[in-house]
Amino acid sequence: MITDELKNKLKEDLVKALEKQKKSAPETALIVKAYDFAFKKHLEQKRKSGEPYIIHPLAVAISLIKLNCDTPTICAGLLHDVLEDTLATGDDIKKLFGDEIFALVDGVTKLGKLNFKSSEEAQANSFRKMLLAIAKDMRVVLVKLADRLNNMQTLDHLPEDKRKRIAQETLDIFAPLANRFGLNTFKIELEDLSFKYLMPEEYTKVKQIVVSKKGERESQIAIVMEKIKELLSQHKIYAEIKGRAKHFYSIYKKISDPETGEIKMDTEPQIYDLLGVRILVSDIKDCYATLGIVHEAFRPMPGRFKDYIAVPKTNLYQSLHTTVITPYGKPLEVQIRTFEMHDVAENGIAAHWNYKEQGGTNHAEEKDLEELAWLRQLISWHTDVEDAKEYVDTVKEDILSKEVYILTPLGDVITLPVDSTPIDFAYKIHSKVGDTCTGAKVNDKIVSINYKLQNGDLVEVITSKNSHPNLSWLNFVKTNQAKHKIKSWYKKQNRDRHMVMGRQELEEKFSKDIIDDLLRSNEFSDVAHRLNYGNSEDLLAGIGSGDTTVAQIISKLQGTRFVKQEDRSNDFSKIKTRKAPTQGDNAEIPELDGLLYTIAKCCMPVPGEPVIGVVSRGKGITLHRSSCHNLHQVEKDRIMHLDWKTKGDKVYPTHLNIVVVDRVGVVKDILTKVADAGVNISDFKVKERPDDNSASLRMIMNVSGQAQLNQIIVSIKNMTDVLVVERI
Ligand code: MN
């Protein structure tokens, strides 16, 4: 039973932790109010360990206090589970604690809904980026990390399989995230706890090694530290000197085979850096002075000096690193930094933020980052413009260059190229979803299907059974997968049409009542195989597309029950080879590869000209010249921009209008010119205009493309008596 006694005892822990932070009275009161609220809401709940639930949010809040977090973050730590696990509503929190704290609690709750299911490196990476991208306020991630840390600390009470899963997730996602935030203390603890649960045997082994070497190393290091202390006090440098133990997981990584994960026993004696030395001084000047003193006393190892003060790491880490040879002939790593740098190294941006609050200024001037509230915040957390810019650039490039991270309603993360649309998303889920997509809801609002998806968007696809892809989607979809699926849907449509047409052609030759029998027969499928078709349906589609003929099939069916020998006398000439109205070889328009299209009669475009495809239901695409006046009436979403290339020896009809001085022989001269160019004329009309002694000629000729057409136009224009040559 939870008593007032317990409530007050825990409250004392909280208040005690707060003492060091020097919070104002109203701030402390707000934090206590959050504690009281959480206590009441979680009253009935127990943790798996049997302890009252409030222990958990309290622990989260206390580790946030240790990070020097601000009051709203600490409150959010206390309240982080009330929305998910209790009857408390968002409105309750808003009313009692304000919008800022509500937003933090809500953010943590949302992160909890993410489905981190894969330990695969690429997937883990996208989850980490996803987390950063959707947690617009970095403080949300801090709370989440503190939450995870406490969950890891109390993992013992969960069943084995759950323990392993959570530990793996922590190692893959949360520990690297803590590192990126510069939260070294979190990172180390998360890694060591994960290590312990994931690889208990290896963990024990490493622990044994550390313990067995510890005494020997410590006594050596103590002597080195004593020497440094003496020298520093001679130079009047105030310093704190500490021996530093490496954490178990980092030692394990050093001494294990990266492939198999097995501990390599022969590397054991080499673990010189089980311990190191860390020197904390007051300012940067003292850092370099100390470095000089250390290098004078001990021989530095060449190539091991790193100046992270001049060039900080991207997570804001600053320090001098050097390795020296001790009097015992063994290398020893020495880190030198200021107290402030140390705080940042241990507590990351949370600490940094604190320094900023104590009188730093906000130098953020990155206009181009305005869309990213959280990145802006990051800059404002930092007091040095140069470093902030570098950090932001790194993060920005890393996260935002090529991909966006999109959430499904189930909390899965889908990675898509930048500028992807709901259609790309739908096809990524399933081709059926893409084919029947009619729209989408993004973050609960309806968007247009060419909406450009943003990081962290929660996308719900709206489908309709009777809907189908629109070719104009090809204009804006980003993924090849979507492009391919849209085209293949249309190809399949063509195939269905071809099958119907093939059947109609067969019906002209065979009576209706035997046709089903024929199509199902072994004889027919035998013919299909002999003509190199996969099956009977393919053969039927082949007839419809004009790829093969009914006559050919009849000749192959000779002697079967469907075509008797005497039928041979049938007039095959009557069975016309009918070319399907579709174009067989469409590769000259890569966008339309294999799709049905026709050429508009109004403007008769030829390959090489700028053309526009107009999508029509059922009829596929009609090609118009991009200058065609009919295009003005077409809705935008039916228009496709296409690139039409000349290919092979195909010719295309197009028309020319020519105005000439009406004299004998001029028409013949023009015809000769065109014939000389090797071009066929399929139609030719002359209209005399006696009043100005001119004539207008309209002709339709077949050209291979724009180049040939231009040649003809130029050569006609250069003729005497020709006044105008124009396309219609
Ligand atoms: Mn929690």
Side-chain angles (χ1 to χ4, degrees):
M1 197 62 216
I2 300 162
T3 59
D4 279 354
E5 202 183 319
L6 173 71
K7 183 177 171 184
N8 290 329
K9 193 197 151 296
L10 293 176
K11 196 188 284 187
E12 261 172 45
D13 292 347
L14 178 69
V15 173
K16 220 168 103 197
L18 276 171
E19 267 165 16
K20 282 188 200 139
Q21 267 219 339
K22 298 187 193 98
K23 295 270 180 208
S24 68
E27 281 185 300
T28 306
L30 188 64
I31 293 169
V32 169
K33 183 171 147 191
Y35 167 76
D36 287 340
F37 183 80
F39 189 92
K40 202 168 84 197
K41 290 294 165 187
H42 289 300
L43 194 57
E44 305 294 322
Q45 284 174 285
K46 291 232 183 310
R47 301 214 81 200
K48 286 275 185 302
S49 61
E51 290 174 301
Y53 195 87
I54 188 67
I55 301 270
H56 165 64
L58 182 67
V60 170
I62 288 176
S63 52
L64 291 168
I65 291 170
K66 283 186 186 151
L67 287 182
N68 274 326
C69 286
D70 66 352
T71 301
T73 312
I74 296 165
C75 291
L78 287 162
L79 300 170
H80 82 271
D81 275 332
V82 297
L83 281 185
E84 187 69 8
D85 298 343
T86 78
L87 295 174
T89 66
D91 282 342
D92 292 342
I93 294 180
K94 260 190 226 172
K95 216 174 343 168
L96 288 165
F97 302 100
D99 288 347
E100 185 181 1
I101 291 174
F102 165 72
L104 293 173
V105 174
D106 189 49
V108 179
T109 309
K110 266 194 196 136
L111 283 192
K113 286 182 181 152
L114 278 180
N115 203 356
F116 303 106
K117 59 183 174 193
S118 171
S119 65
E120 211 180 293
E121 183 48 38
Q123 187 64 346
N125 207 12
S126 26
F127 277 125
R128 284 198 296 271
K129 291 178 187 171
M130 177 76 195
L131 258 171
L132 288 178
I134 69 169
K136 298 214 166 68
D137 191 324
M138 286 293 117
R139 293 177 294 178
V140 168
V141 182
L142 291 181
V143 179
K144 185 71 203 169
L145 285 169
D147 177 36
R148 176 51 60 118
L149 181 61
N150 187 245
N151 288 337
M152 286 300 293
Q153 286 162 341
T154 52
L155 211 53
D156 266 335
H157 305 287
L158 294 182
E160 162 95 20
D161 59 325
K162 235 179 165 180
R163 271 199 314 240
K164 286 236 148 97
R165 187 184 61 75
I166 293 174
Q168 188 69 56
E169 191 181 284
T170 302
L171 197 59
D172 290 337
I173 291 154
F174 292 97
L177 201 61
N179 182 44
R180 163 163 258 163
F181 272 59
L183 290 163
N184 198 40
T185 47
F186 273 38
K187 178 201 143 189
I188 285 176
E189 200 173 347
L190 289 172
E191 279 188 351
D192 275 356
L193 286 165
S194 307
F195 180 38
K196 184 172 125 191
Y197 288 109
L198 284 172
M199 294 172 267
E201 275 174 41
E202 289 84 347
Y203 179 83
T204 314
K205 237 184 235 172
V206 169
K207 206 170 161 182
Q208 277 165 0
I209 292 170
V210 171
V211 169
S212 72
K213 300 269 166 186
K214 214 176 161 195
E216 180 195 350
R217 288 292 283 159
E218 265 176 353
S219 63
Q220 291 180 4
I221 282 170
I223 292 167
V224 172
M225 278 164 62
E226 208 41 56
K227 171 99 182 164
I228 293 174
K229 205 175 255 173
E230 198 189 302
L231 289 168
L232 288 176
S233 80
Q234 275 172 25
H235 286 84
K236 299 201 167 50
I237 293 173
Y238 171 71
E240 260 177 41
I241 306 175
K242 290 176 183 165
R244 179 178 63 93
K246 285 256 164 108
H247 72 295
F248 293 163
Y249 187 61
S250 74
I251 294 169
Y252 167 72
K253 279 202 293 195
K254 268 217 168 89
I255 63 171
S256 64
D257 185 317
E259 295 283 314
T260 62
E262 247 172 76
I263 292 178
K264 297 175 283 186
M265 278 312 181
D266 57 327
T267 54
E268 240 186 271
Q270 285 185 18
I271 9 174
Y272 296 127
D273 37 18
L274 284 182
L275 283 169
V277 168
R278 182 175 293 146
I279 307 170
L280 304 181
V281 295
S282 308
D283 54 30
I284 293 180
K285 182 174 65 47
D286 281 356
C287 288
Y288 290 102
T290 304
L291 179 75
I293 290 163
V294 169
H295 278 186
E296 215 167 288
F298 306 100
R299 189 161 56 85
M301 260 175 88
R304 294 293 297 272
F305 171 64
K306 295 218 173 67
D307 186 350
Y308 294 119
I309 291 180
V311 187
K313 287 191 185 180
T314 50
N315 63 13
L316 310 183
Y317 178 84
Q318 284 186 298
S319 191
L320 299 176
H321 289 190
T322 186
T323 302
V324 297
I325 309 293
T326 64
Y328 307 93
K330 290 188 175 164
L332 174 74
E333 195 189 50
V334 180
Q335 300 181 347
I336 305 164
R337 56 176 87 139
T338 66
F339 293 100
E340 182 183 329
M341 288 171 190
H342 182 60
D343 200 6
V344 171
E346 296 295 296
N347 300 328
I349 51 171
H352 226 279
W353 184 15
N354 210 40
Y355 286 109
K356 196 222 122 201
E357 274 189 342
Q358 290 166 2
T361 45
N362 180 356
H363 291 287
E365 269 173 27
E366 295 287 300
K367 280 203 190 84
D368 57 334
L369 294 177
E370 260 166 25
E371 77 277 19
L372 286 153
W374 67 266
L375 272 180
R376 262 211 318 278
Q377 210 145 13
L378 209 56
I379 302 166
S380 68
W381 283 349
H382 202 1
T383 50
D384 187 316
V385 174
E386 275 315 298
D387 294 354
K389 200 173 171 307
E390 191 192 328
Y391 183 43
V392 166
D393 283 349
T394 316
V395 178
K396 192 179 153 195
E397 194 181 312
D398 192 6
I399 295 177
L400 304 167
S401 57
K402 294 174 196 92
E403 291 166 339
V404 289
Y405 302 90
I406 308 302
L407 275 177
T408 70
L410 292 175
D412 289 331
V413 178
I414 304 275
T415 310
L416 289 168
V418 161
D419 288 345
S420 287
T421 64
I423 302 290
D424 293 292
F425 177 84
Y427 276 109
K428 189 99 183 192
I429 305 269
H430 196 274
S431 60
K432 192 89 200 143
V433 177
D435 282 347
T436 56
C437 176
T438 58
K441 268 190 191 171
V442 171
N443 307 325
D444 274 337
K445 286 195 190 90
I446 302 263
V447 297
S448 66
I449 49 168
N450 59 359
Y451 166 85
K452 288 190 167 70
L453 295 170
Q454 305 293 315
N455 260 323
D457 277 350
L458 191 148
V459 182
E460 201 179 324
V461 177
I462 303 165
T463 58
S464 152
K465 242 199 278 168
N466 301 321
S467 192
H468 64 75
N470 188 321
L471 280 174
S472 65
W473 292 354
L474 292 174
N475 284 333
F476 56 77
V477 294
K478 210 68 201 168
T479 54
N480 289 329
Q481 187 182 18
K483 282 180 190 161
H484 174 77
K485 298 277 183 184
I486 294 165
K487 283 182 205 165
S488 66
W489 186 89
Y490 269 87
K491 277 185 194 165
K492 189 182 169 300
Q493 285 304 106
N494 282 353
R495 183 183 141 90
D496 292 348
R497 282 162 50 99
H498 288 155
M499 279 172 63
V500 171
M501 283 156 61
R503 192 189 164 95
Q504 283 166 357
E505 287 197 36
L506 282 175
E507 278 172 359
E508 283 173 24
K509 192 62 203 153
F510 296 93
S511 67
K512 264 194 176 156
D513 34 295
I514 70 156
I515 208 143
D516 286 324
D517 191 15
L518 169 69
L519 292 179
R520 258 177 279 137
S521 69
N522 288 333
E523 288 89 338
F524 194 73
S525 88
D526 192 41
V527 172
H529 291 152
R530 278 160 68 195
L531 291 171
N532 287 325
Y533 287 91
N535 55 40
S536 300
E537 282 191 356
D538 290 346
L539 176 57
L540 196 58
I543 302 166
S545 71
D547 199 30
T548 189
T549 61
V550 176
Q552 217 170 353
I553 287 158
I554 287 174
S555 77
K556 291 275 188 281
L557 284 171
Q558 281 300 329
T560 68
R561 62 198 159 106
F562 299 105
V563 182
K564 294 191 189 80
Q565 206 64 43
E566 51 266 40
D567 278 348
R568 206 167 182 149
S569 60
N570 260 349
D571 190 359
F572 284 148
S573 65
K574 268 189 193 159
I575 304 165
K576 259 183 139 183
T577 307
R578 206 176 77 181
K579 271 275 168 206
T582 54
Q583 314 282 324
D585 174 19
N586 288 347
E588 65 223 36
I589 309 180
E591 289 98 324
L592 296 186
D593 182 25
L595 296 178
L596 183 73
Y597 70 86
T598 49
I599 295 166
K601 297 221 166 52
C602 50
C603 54
M604 289 188 152
V606 296
E609 293 191 285
V611 287
I612 296 278
V614 173
V615 180
S616 57
R617 240 161 218 273
K619 261 175 63 192
I621 302 131
T622 311
L623 302 185
H624 291 261
R625 265 155 52 198
S626 57
S627 56
C628 180
H629 59 272
N630 285 336
L631 290 175
H632 296 311
Q633 298 140 29
V634 178
E635 301 122 66
K636 264 212 182 92
D637 67 342
R638 290 175 53 211
I639 281 183
M640 293 177 71
H641 298 272
L642 301 171
D643 186 17
W644 194 8
K645 293 188 190 77
T646 318
K647 189 171 177 272
D649 48 8
K650 263 180 150 181
V651 290
Y652 303 84
T654 192
H655 41 205
L656 271 188
N657 201 21
I658 306 166
V659 181
V660 297
V661 176
D662 193 7
R663 70 156 171 89
V664 182
V666 75
V667 171
K668 193 187 118 258
D669 289 349
I670 290 172
L671 291 178
T672 311
K673 263 273 181 304
V674 176
D676 284 352
V679 166
N680 279 334
I681 295 168
S682 54
D683 196 17
F684 191 84
K685 276 191 195 106
V686 183
K687 206 172 160 197
E688 294 189 3
R689 293 197 275 191
D691 39 315
D692 64 352
N693 193 34
S694 72
S696 117
L697 322 180
R698 260 187 103 139
M699 65 174 164
I700 296 181
M701 54 190 179
N702 299 312
V703 296
S704 62
Q706 193 187 24
Q708 190 177 38
L709 178 62
N710 284 347
Q711 235 175 342
I712 289 167
I713 291 174
V714 169
S715 67
I716 297 174
K717 261 188 185 159
N718 285 339
M719 293 170 68
T720 42
D721 297 332
V722 171
L723 303 172
V724 177
V725 183
E726 60 186 8
R727 310 272 312 270
I728 296 164

